[in-house]
């Protein structure tokens, strides 16, 4: 199971990096974790050996990542691809459902990393982020009911479920 966890973490790190949310260092660390877990391939070794010194690590990652993922039968998503954005949304939605992040974290993430120009799958989360902004601006100087905030959180959680569970979400 440790092997599968390491592979999943590597795949997720690569996807999040492809949308600008993750760092090259996180991908390199996930590659190292794969080696520690007994996952091995020639290009994975090269990738794990990239120096995490700031500046050139993304260039090196671009050079080796696609081949390393292919050797492990994982999926490569080119930077900024619509498919990568779709998968990144699902990763972040799963994190919300696992209670690793908050509903507001998810909407803020979608607004920041996917934007209106990105995948249509993010549209509802981006709308909900704007709703959060309006809600908190309206109530900044006033008391608000916790049920209103809870309702907004519930809408985000419902959208996360749709993204993760609904096959139509996978198709746009």
């Amino acid at each position: 199971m440790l092997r599968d966890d390491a592979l999943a973490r590597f795949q997720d790190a690569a996807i999040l990096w492809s949308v600008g949310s993750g760092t090259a260092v996180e991908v390199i660390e996930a590659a190292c974790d794969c080696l520690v877990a007994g996952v091995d391939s020639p290009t994975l070794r090269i990738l794990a050996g990239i120096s995490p010194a700031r500046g050139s690590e993304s260039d090196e990652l671009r050079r080796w990542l696609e081949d390393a993922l292919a050797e492990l039968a994982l999926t490569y998503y080119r930077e900024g691809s619509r498919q990568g954005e779709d998968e990144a949304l699902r990763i972040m939605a799963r994190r919300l459902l696992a209670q690793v992040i908050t509903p507001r974290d998810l909407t803020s993430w979608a607004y920041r990393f996917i934007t209106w120009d990105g995948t249509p799958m993010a549209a509802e989360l981006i709308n909900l982020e704007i709703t959060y902004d309006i809600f908190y601006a309206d109530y900044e100087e006033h008391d608000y009911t916790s049920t209103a905030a809870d309702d907004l959180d519930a809408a985000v959680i419902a959208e996360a479920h749709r993204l993760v569970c609904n096959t139509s979400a996978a198709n746009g």
Side-chain angles (χ1 to χ4, degrees):
M1 181 93 119
L2 184 60
R3 177 183 165 90
D4 291 341
D5 290 343
L7 283 168
R9 183 170 175 256
F10 181 50
Q11 178 73 82
D12 288 358
I15 292 168
L16 292 174
W17 175 80
S18 79
V19 300
S21 174
T23 66
V25 171
E26 290 167 337
V27 178
I28 294 164
E29 287 173 354
C32 292
D33 290 346
C34 282
L35 291 173
V36 169
V39 177
D40 196 7
S41 79
T43 310
L44 182 67
R45 290 181 204 164
I46 294 169
L47 196 64
I50 294 173
S51 172
R54 285 181 103 40
S56 64
E57 72 275 8
S58 285
D59 293 336
E60 284 294 302
L61 189 62
R62 278 182 198 91
R63 181 175 176 192
W64 301 107
L65 183 59
E66 185 173 4
D67 289 342
L69 290 166
E71 288 172 358
L72 301 172
L74 298 174
T75 305
Y76 172 77
Y77 297 97
R78 66 178 171 70
E79 289 177 78
S81 73
R82 184 66 44 99
Q83 297 83 7
E85 290 176 349
D86 291 347
E87 290 305 315
L89 275 170
R90 289 186 192 97
I91 291 167
M92 296 304 289
R94 284 191 299 271
R95 288 181 180 179
L96 169 64
L97 298 176
Q99 300 179 344
V100 174
I101 62 173
T102 67
R104 183 70 193 264
D105 291 338
L106 177 58
T107 61
S108 295
W109 178 89
Y111 185 84
R112 180 173 178 205
F113 292 104
I114 304 298
T115 77
W116 285 112
D117 295 329
T119 179
M121 283 178 52
E124 185 59 21
L125 290 174
I126 293 170
N127 285 331
L128 288 163
E129 173 60 17
I130 293 167
T131 304
Y132 273 119
D133 285 344
I134 293 167
F135 175 78
Y136 287 112
D138 283 348
Y139 291 102
E140 191 171 72
E141 295 180 17
H142 305 86
D143 291 332
Y144 60 89
T145 63
S146 63
T147 59
D150 291 345
D151 290 345
L152 191 49
D153 288 348
V156 175
I157 292 167
E159 181 62 10
H161 277 289
R162 186 190 73 78
L163 289 170
V164 171
C165 300
N166 186 346
T167 56
S168 67
N171 298 321

